[in-house]
């Protein structure tokens, strides 16, 4: 894993932990955005574009 990948992984991890711990955060919206970030490009690559 390159230094850039480690940095981005750590940054993502810190963001997710912050979302879960601090009060007043919009946890469901963050999880939905993360799900879309993964599923939409994968669906497009498989030819099942969700529009």
């Amino acid at each position: 894993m390159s230094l850039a990948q480690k940095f981005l992984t750590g940054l993502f991890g810190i963001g997710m932990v912050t979302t879960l711990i601090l009060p007043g955060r919009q946890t469901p919206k963050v999880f939905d955005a993360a799900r879309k970030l993964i599923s939409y490009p994968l669906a497009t690559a498989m030819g099942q574009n969700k529009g």
Side-chain angles (χ1 to χ4, degrees), residues 2-47:
S2 73
L3 182 61
Q5 289 173 322
K6 288 180 184 179
F7 175 76
L8 292 175
T9 302
L11 190 63
F12 180 77
I14 291 170
M16 291 304 289
V17 169
T18 302
T19 298
L20 295 172
I21 293 176
L22 293 178
R25 299 291 178 177
Q26 300 178 10
T27 305
K29 290 183 181 181
V30 172
F31 280 130
D32 187 50
R35 181 187 59 81
K36 289 178 183 177
L37 179 68
I38 295 169
S39 66
Y40 283 13
L42 185 59
T44 300
M46 294 180 352

